[in-house]
Amino acid sequence: MDNTQPRMRWWGWGEDGHDGPVKPGAKKMLTKSCGWPEGVNRPPIDLDAVQLPGAELPDDARSRFDELLGAAYVRDDRATRVSHAAGRSVPDLLRLRSGQMPFAPDAVLFPASEAEVDELLAICSQERIAVVPFGGGTSVVGGIDAFRPGFRSCVCISLARLDQVLDIDEKSLTVTAQAGVFGPDLEERLQAEGFTLGHFPQSFEFSTVGGWVSTRSAGQQSTGYGRIDENVFGLHCSTPSGPIRLHPTPASAAGPNPRQMLIGSEGTLGIITQATLRIKRLPETTLPDAWFFPDFHSGATALREMEQTGLRPDIARLSDVNETAFGLAQLGSGLQRKGLLAFLRARGVTTPCLLVLRYDGRTSDARSRRAAGRAIAKKQTGVSIGGAPETMWEKHRFSTPYLRDQLMTEGIVVETMETAAQWSTIEDLHDTIRQDIEKSLADRGTPALVLCHVSHLYTAGCSLYYTVFAQQQEGQEMEQWTALKTAAGDAMVDNGGTITHHHATGADHAPWLAEETGELWLRMLRAAKAEVDPGGIMNPGKLMHGPTTL
Amino acid sequence: MDNTQPRMRWWGWGEDGHDGPVKPGAKKMLTKSCGWPEGVNRPPIDLDAVQLPGAELPDDARSRFDELLGAAYVRDDRATRVSHAAGRSVPDLLRLRSGQMPFAPDAVLFPASEAEVDELLAICSQERIAVVPFGGGTSVVGGIDAFRPGFRSCVCISLARLDQVLDIDEKSLTVTAQAGVFGPDLEERLQAEGFTLGHFPQSFEFSTVGGWVSTRSAGQQSTGYGRIDENVFGLHCSTPSGPIRLHPTPASAAGPNPRQMLIGSEGTLGIITQATLRIKRLPETTLPDAWFFPDFHSGATALREMEQTGLRPDIARLSDVNETAFGLAQLGSGLQRKGLLAFLRARGVTTPCLLVLRYDGRTSDARSRRAAGRAIAKKQTGVSIGGAPETMWEKHRFSTPYLRDQLMTEGIVVETMETAAQWSTIEDLHDTIRQDIEKSLADRGTPALVLCHVSHLYTAGCSLYYTVFAQQQEGQEMEQWTALKTAAGDAMVDNGGTITHHHATGADHAPWLAEETGELWLRMLRAAKAEVDPGGIMNPGKLMHGPTTL
């Protein structure tokens, strides 16, 4: 199989064949909240019409790359350059779809081994060429935009050919995989042997081991299976100053854990080439469950109690009033929806908040956890509706990003953002962020629909994930997005939240880093970076050095 | 209460009144393995006879300290200097007991607030004075030895007056405490309100929140309650370049987690002044259990299965054949021991390995976990003996260090060391370390008795904790210790282990850091340090800058 072809279409999410018209109920709700831009049709431009900067790879560098990799793995054709130029953030999509690309790599390099990555970074360091690592290209925060501030040239290093699952240690329950292994390939291999990583970010189908580790990814089952940063035991990273090879260890007190410095470094320190990760045996059973709560507060209280008493659902996802209504609006049959709402009204639930849950494990254990969870949900005045909503959510869980592409064609912008905070502040934060986003867009004359859900539980707090819809301001799309992003980011960081729970920092969240972690930490991070990347070639304009003015 | 008086006696562990003669059975076993140095009596020297370097605190610095803290909190009397000069490693004890102290702080400073710590570090930075932070003084790896390489003066900053529990967030299940809060004081306060941190290192009675965080401490219940590095959400740290204040967050993807850079930094980057930590509600019940296994392998296999199937005992401690025999030898009555051994022999267990377990939580849950654990232990041919051995172990769990002091008086050196590794390598590692330690001491004509236990479980592996006894080589105590330490450290790091699971690095483990984590990581760490501590005044000669030639 030729892994070097990107798995995602160049202008948007995923693969063709998953798009479809916006469902009538959703359209109705969007129309009511945001107004509907009738008659708008803004499909992506043709690939041939995309305007790219000229490729400026110096000849001497090119010949060194050719010699090392073979010319077939040093590519600068239009399709390769465009498909590796950016991720899938709103600004990325605006640029790609309009064909106005202010940046793109001069070439995309496909090394086949750690040694080749080491060597490429040495060459790029000597030649002063900016390097952007590329796994699956799914960043939604500008994390892989091919910036080249101050550099004459920029290359993208794709991990596509580092695609081997190297070892499954059945005794230690760990898997060692190269960075370029994609989610589905890893799970297929693990599940064939009776194991699972249990890591299912929404990007699962198109993202890689290296991408997960370098962005501190969390998956939809991370409440049960752990965030990636909790599951890394060993790590290999190539840097311009040489490789860092950290052998797997379950725990250590030998100073600050170097793994934790590389996890979440987003390609700014080096390129993660291999990781040893915790796996679990495939659960004997997975039990779905679902509840409607009369309000967000009672649902959040139930979640908190579930997590803090240790029964720990493997999946827990609580939608607020708006998100629940939006989900219900998309139910195939209006009758079905009306029947459900009547059922809930009869039980005193007029502004329902849907909670879906799943309990994995040995059957007896999963059953007793579900029973304990049900007792908690009931105490918080939840209304039980069986497991079907969870099963349905799971069936469609990777398809939501396609809706964003479809809506952009129809003149609606969709942005998603997430944060996390302590339980003691989470409800106020939930309201504040929503209100600030709504205000920022209403002020521009484009009222918003703001949905939110909790999807990751911790004993001390939880995540909040927002989806925002508004009519696009044609000609001012970036200003509109900046206003929205600024309002949300300020609301998060000023009120006890983090600027990102699992999307990472990239270029888009970099302006809030200093406020969240302090300037002194960024100075430490930059100093550590200067040691491994003295030329500053690694993924410039991101994280502690972002964002870059284009 | 005047917290500024050290809680431990100046020359050894803990408080007076806990010493006693070595029990006959233990003496018999030591005699058999190591030979007994008859007639040796080497008590610690008198405090007045301890030879200290002269105090060299410059007058201008002293007056600035006096002005900031008040002269009562700038102390340089002999008792204060000696009791803050070192921790409780074997080299520390050798030096303290013999009265040959090549180092001691010129003064001990007692700030009462974060602002005062900030200010002290600024002064010390300007005046080029080395700073050693002091919590409880329990380091067993030379972590707080008052080195001053290249500095004209050295002060110790005690956190004794930062002793407040600032907040218990009952909703988020977190406690915010100042660094100088001692274990018992924190637990007393928490338990009065129905909570526990569940952090019980062997040093519990004499160590502090700040010490735990700065050394990546793990407690005897960490299998259930988590290591300290898993339980820190918020952190304040003063550095010579200014404060770092990280607000509590349950999770974040905003780049590498700065908390993880400060946790385990051992005072080399700054002084941790405050931490927000995960707490739990006090368990409804704690159920003890205990088993004898016919060998280490079957016990380790049972532990692995317990952890990997998720039933997770809160305490799990498996002693190998030697440690079990040593424990049994100390049983009050020889008859009791003989009866037990006969009982085990009748069940095919001739080289017993004792496993003690505890299950905490809701009664029904703890019971079902214990039942599941029992099924696993039985499958691994364990012999059940009820819960009494666990209860007995728990009763005496903080008293073992006193034995070391007593034995040193009688001419026997006792060293403890710990590592961790993946399950797939742990059994080979267990043998290799023991054999290498035995060889290193046999080669010097002082044969060793080496005990080992597993005390912390992870899905991927576990810890190994060694206790080593040998006759002291009078006049060559340090060479003997170096030989032993080198053999153990090499065996750990060369065979998939870490140089330390929970004792930290200090001066003693520093020589292995580069091999374990790579020189490039140490360069990153040093570069980050240079940013917050440009003068290199913070705890010199430790971690990435250790060890120092005295």
Side-chain angles (χ1 to χ4, degrees):
Chain A
M1 187 172 86
D2 181 7
N3 250 343
T4 62
Q5 296 304 317
R7 296 195 174 188
M8 293 210 296
R9 52 192 180 189
W10 68 267
W11 57 269
W13 192 260
E15 299 159 327
D16 287 339
H18 294 267
D19 307 287
V22 180
K23 298 224 171 96
K27 186 165 175 176
K28 198 167 149 192
M29 194 166 162
L30 285 168
T31 305
K32 196 173 153 200
S33 301
C34 315
W36 189 265
E38 284 300 342
V40 171
N41 182 28
R42 299 187 199 124
I45 205 167
D46 279 346
L47 177 60
D48 287 338
V50 174
Q51 296 191 17
L52 288 178
E56 298 185 8
L57 191 61
D59 287 343
D60 49 349
R62 180 170 194 115
S63 57
R64 293 178 75 180
F65 295 148
D66 284 352
E67 192 180 340
L68 181 68
L69 305 178
Y73 294 112
V74 181
R75 301 195 193 150
D76 59 3
D77 60 281
R78 163 175 288 265
T80 302
R81 289 183 68 207
V82 172
S83 60
H84 290 83
R88 294 298 178 261
S89 69
V90 168
D92 290 339
L93 294 179
L94 290 171
R95 293 182 196 115
L96 285 165
R97 294 171 62 106
S98 68
Q100 302 294 322
M101 285 302 295
F103 50 77
D106 296 328
V108 182
L109 313 178
F110 295 91
S113 67
E114 288 188 343
E116 286 185 359
V117 177
D118 288 343
E119 186 61 25
L120 286 178
L121 294 188
I123 296 172
C124 291
S125 196
Q126 288 155 16
E127 305 274 353
R128 285 196 48 73
I129 296 172
V131 172
V132 181
F134 191 98
T138 60
S139 169
V140 290
V141 294
I144 54 162
D145 290 351
F147 300 150
R148 62 179 77 190
F151 295 92
R152 59 174 178 170
S153 179
C154 169
V155 295
C156 174
I157 296 186
S158 166
L159 282 305
R161 293 170 73 207
L162 273 76
D163 60 355
Q164 298 300 303
V165 176
L166 300 173
D167 179 54
I168 297 175
D169 180 342
E170 303 201 357
K171 208 164 174 183
S172 310
L173 290 185
T174 55
V175 62
T176 301
Q178 289 189 301
V181 175
F182 279 85
D185 301 338
L186 181 63
E187 274 300 322
E188 190 184 350
R189 171 74 188 279
L190 286 172
Q191 292 188 15
E193 304 195 25
F195 301 101
T196 179
L197 183 67
H199 193 74
F200 296 100
Q202 194 163 55
S203 63
F204 171 73
E205 302 164 283
F206 304 103
S207 57
T208 60
V209 168
W212 301 337
V213 173
S214 61
T215 59
R216 298 179 73 85
S217 168
Q220 292 167 342
Q221 295 171 208
S222 291
T223 297
Y225 291 79
R227 298 169 57 89
I228 207 77
D229 43 294
E230 298 171 311
N231 289 337
V232 174
F233 296 113
L235 207 52
H236 287 193
C237 182
S238 297
T239 82
S241 298
I244 298 174
R245 307 275 184 258
L246 300 164
H247 77 277
T249 186
S252 170
N257 187 344
R259 294 158 194 79
Q260 291 292 333
M261 187 67 154
L262 299 172
I263 299 169
S265 61
E266 303 185 20
T268 62
L269 301 176
I271 298 184
I272 287 165
T273 52
Q274 177 183 312
T276 300
L277 303 165
R278 184 201 318 268
I279 56 177
K280 288 192 174 184
R281 295 206 179 79
L282 272 174
E284 189 178 293
T285 192
T286 61
L287 296 181
D289 204 16
W291 294 77
F292 279 105
F293 288 90
D295 50 37
F296 187 71
H297 167 74
S298 53
T301 305
L303 285 185
R304 178 164 62 84
E305 197 171 333
M306 287 177 193
E307 184 67 16
Q308 292 184 344
T309 53
L311 71 91
R312 202 149 113 162
D314 291 278
I315 292 174
R317 195 177 177 95
L318 172 70
S319 297
D320 70 359
V321 174
N322 279 358
E323 186 171 291
T324 302
F326 193 76
L328 291 176
Q330 294 187 78
L331 271 184
S333 136
L335 269 179
Q336 203 182 350
R337 185 176 65 251
K338 281 178 187 154
L340 179 59
L341 291 176
F343 169 85
L344 291 172
R345 250 195 320 274
R347 280 151 190 82
V349 177
T350 53
T351 51
C353 290
L354 174 64
L355 170 64
V356 298
L357 297 156
R358 205 180 80 187
Y359 300 91
D360 297 7
R362 282 169 298 154
T363 309
S364 60
D365 178 58
R367 278 197 186 134
S368 83
R369 285 157 64 221
R370 185 173 63 178
R374 284 179 170 170
I376 291 171
K378 204 167 280 175
K379 197 176 73 182
Q380 295 302 330
T381 67
V383 176
S384 170
I385 50 157
E390 195 285 330
T391 313
M392 196 188 302
W393 166 78
E394 215 175 307
K395 190 174 158 199
H396 297 290
R397 64 173 161 166
F398 300 130
S399 60
T400 332
Y402 290 102
L403 179 62
R404 188 171 54 146
D405 289 338
Q406 179 63 33
L407 283 170
M408 282 183 91
T409 300
E410 304 197 34
I412 303 270
V413 65
V414 187
E415 178 58 302
T416 59
M417 289 159 299
E418 20 69 73
T419 186
Q422 306 272 96
W423 289 112
S424 51
T425 60
I426 204 77
E427 289 180 47
D428 286 345
L429 186 62
H430 169 251
D431 292 338
T432 303
I433 295 171
R434 181 179 48 74
Q435 288 160 6
D436 287 6
I437 292 173
E438 284 173 352
K439 181 170 188 315
S440 73
L441 287 166
D443 284 352
R444 300 183 70 87
T446 53
L449 173 63
V450 182
L451 321 179
C452 181
H453 64 252
V454 173
S455 53
H456 300 78
L457 309 185
Y458 306 92
T459 60
C462 67
S463 67
L464 293 175
Y465 186 103
Y466 287 86
T467 308
V468 181
F469 304 86
Q471 285 195 51
Q472 261 181 338
Q473 284 192 289
E474 205 180 346
Q476 291 185 56
E477 292 90 349
M478 287 296 275
E479 292 82 351
Q480 181 188 29
W481 174 82
T482 303
L484 147 67
K485 197 77 187 167
T486 303
D490 288 351
M492 288 171 185
V493 174
D494 293 348
N495 294 283
T498 170
I499 188 62
T500 172
H501 171 264
H502 61 268
H503 283 171
T505 312
D508 297 354
H509 292 145
W512 285 273
L513 260 195
E515 187 177 340
E516 178 164 343
T517 62
E519 183 59 32
L520 196 47
W521 165 243
L522 296 188
R523 281 168 51 193
M524 293 171 78
L525 208 47
R526 287 180 199 126
K529 176 182 166 75
E531 202 59 42
V532 289
D533 177 22
I537 63 169
M538 295 308 304
N539 209 9
K542 322 289 159 48
L543 200 62
M544 72 287 231
H545 283 294
T548 290
T549 308
L550 293 177
Chain B
M1 188 172 86
D2 181 9
N3 250 343
T4 61
Q5 294 305 317
R7 295 196 176 190
M8 294 211 295
R9 52 193 181 187
W10 68 267
W11 57 269
W13 193 261
E15 299 159 326
D16 287 339
H18 295 266
D19 308 286
V22 180
K23 297 223 171 100
K27 185 165 177 178
K28 199 168 150 192
M29 194 168 164
L30 285 168
T31 306
K32 197 174 152 199
S33 301
C34 315
W36 190 265
E38 286 300 341
V40 171
N41 182 29
R42 298 188 199 122
I45 205 168
D46 280 346
L47 177 60
D48 287 338
V50 174
Q51 297 190 18
L52 288 178
E56 299 185 7
L57 190 62
D59 288 343
D60 48 350
R62 176 165 199 120
S63 58
R64 292 180 74 181
F65 295 147
D66 284 351
E67 191 179 340
L68 181 67
L69 305 179
Y73 294 111
V74 181
R75 300 193 194 153
D76 60 2
D77 60 281
R78 162 174 289 263
T80 301
R81 289 182 68 207
V82 173
S83 60
H84 291 82
R88 294 299 178 261
S89 69
V90 168
D92 290 338
L93 295 180
L94 290 171
R95 293 182 196 113
L96 287 166
R97 293 170 62 106
S98 68
Q100 302 293 323
M101 285 303 295
F103 48 79
D106 296 329
V108 182
L109 314 177
F110 295 90
S113 67
E114 289 189 341
E116 286 185 0
V117 178
D118 288 343
E119 186 61 27
L120 285 178
L121 294 188
I123 296 172
C124 290
S125 196
Q126 288 155 14
E127 305 273 352
R128 286 195 50 70
I129 297 173
V131 172
V132 180
F134 191 99
T138 61
S139 170
V140 290
V141 294
I144 53 162
D145 290 351
F147 300 151
R148 63 179 76 188
F151 295 92
R152 60 174 176 169
S153 179
C154 169
V155 295
C156 174
I157 296 186
S158 165
L159 282 305
R161 293 170 73 207
L162 273 76
D163 59 356
Q164 297 301 304
V165 176
L166 299 173
D167 179 55
I168 296 175
D169 179 342
E170 303 201 358
K171 207 164 176 184
S172 310
L173 289 184
T174 55
V175 61
T176 300
Q178 289 188 302
V181 176
F182 279 85
D185 300 337
L186 181 62
E187 275 299 322
E188 191 185 349
R189 170 73 189 278
L190 286 171
Q191 293 187 17
E193 303 195 25
F195 302 101
T196 178
L197 183 68
H199 193 74
F200 296 99
Q202 194 163 55
S203 63
F204 171 73
E205 302 163 283
F206 305 102
S207 57
T208 60
V209 167
W212 301 338
V213 173
S214 61
T215 59
R216 297 179 72 84
S217 169
Q220 292 166 342
Q221 295 171 207
S222 291
T223 297
Y225 291 79
R227 299 168 56 90
I228 206 77
D229 43 294
E230 299 171 310
N231 289 337
V232 174
F233 297 113
L235 206 54
H236 287 193
C237 182
S238 297
T239 83
S241 298
I244 298 175
R245 308 275 185 257
L246 300 163
H247 76 276
T249 185
S252 170
N257 186 343
R259 294 158 194 80
Q260 290 293 333
M261 188 67 155
L262 300 173
I263 299 169
S265 61
E266 303 184 21
T268 62
L269 302 177
I271 298 184
I272 289 166
T273 51
Q274 177 182 311
T276 300
L277 303 165
R278 184 202 318 270
I279 56 176
K280 289 191 173 184
R281 294 205 179 80
L282 272 174
E284 188 178 294
T285 191
T286 61
L287 295 181
D289 203 17
W291 294 76
F292 280 104
F293 289 90
D295 50 36
F296 187 70
H297 167 74
S298 52
T301 306
L303 285 186
R304 177 163 63 84
E305 197 172 331
M306 287 176 192
E307 183 68 14
Q308 292 184 345
T309 53
L311 72 89
R312 203 148 112 164
D314 291 277
I315 292 175
R317 196 176 177 95
L318 171 70
S319 297
D320 70 359
V321 175
N322 279 358
E323 186 171 291
T324 303
F326 193 76
L328 291 177
Q330 295 187 79
L331 271 185
S333 138
L335 269 179
Q336 203 184 350
R337 183 175 68 250
K338 281 177 187 157
L340 179 59
L341 291 175
F343 169 84
L344 291 172
R345 251 196 320 275
R347 281 150 190 83
V349 177
T350 54
T351 53
C353 291
L354 174 64
L355 170 63
V356 297
L357 297 156
R358 206 181 79 186
Y359 301 91
D360 296 7
R362 281 169 297 155
T363 308
S364 61
D365 179 59
R367 278 196 185 135
S368 82
R369 286 158 63 219
R370 185 172 64 178
R374 284 179 168 169
I376 291 170
K378 206 168 279 176
K379 197 176 74 182
Q380 295 302 330
T381 67
V383 175
S384 170
I385 50 157
E390 196 283 331
T391 313
M392 198 189 302
W393 166 78
E394 214 175 308
K395 189 173 158 200
H396 296 291
R397 63 172 162 168
F398 300 131
S399 61
T400 331
Y402 291 102
L403 179 62
R404 188 171 55 145
D405 289 338
Q406 179 63 30
L407 283 169
M408 283 183 91
T409 300
E410 304 199 33
I412 303 270
V413 65
V414 187
E415 177 59 302
T416 60
M417 288 159 300
E418 19 68 73
T419 185
Q422 306 272 96
W423 288 111
S424 52
T425 60
I426 204 77
E427 289 180 47
D428 286 346
L429 187 63
H430 169 250
D431 292 340
T432 303
I433 294 171
R434 180 178 47 75
Q435 288 159 7
D436 287 5
I437 292 172
E438 284 173 352
K439 182 169 186 316
S440 74
L441 288 166
D443 284 352
R444 301 182 69 87
T446 52
L449 173 63
V450 181
L451 320 179
C452 180
H453 64 253
V454 173
S455 53
H456 299 78
L457 308 185
Y458 306 92
T459 61
C462 67
S463 67
L464 293 175
Y465 186 103
Y466 287 87
T467 308
V468 181
F469 303 86
Q471 285 194 51
Q472 260 180 339
Q473 284 193 288
E474 205 182 345
Q476 292 185 54
E477 291 90 349
M478 287 296 275
E479 293 82 351
Q480 181 190 29
W481 174 82
T482 302
L484 147 67
K485 197 79 188 168
T486 303
D490 289 350
M492 289 170 184
V493 174
D494 293 347
N495 295 283
T498 172
I499 187 62
T500 172
H501 171 264
H502 61 267
H503 283 169
T505 312
D508 297 356
H509 292 145
W512 286 273
L513 258 195
E515 187 177 339
E516 177 164 343
T517 62
E519 183 59 32
L520 196 46
W521 164 244
L522 296 188
R523 281 168 49 195
M524 293 171 77
L525 209 45
R526 288 180 198 125
K529 176 183 166 73
E531 202 60 42
V532 288
D533 177 23
I537 62 168
M538 295 308 305
N539 211 7
K542 323 289 160 46
L543 199 63
M544 73 287 232
H545 283 293
T548 289
T549 309
L550 292 178

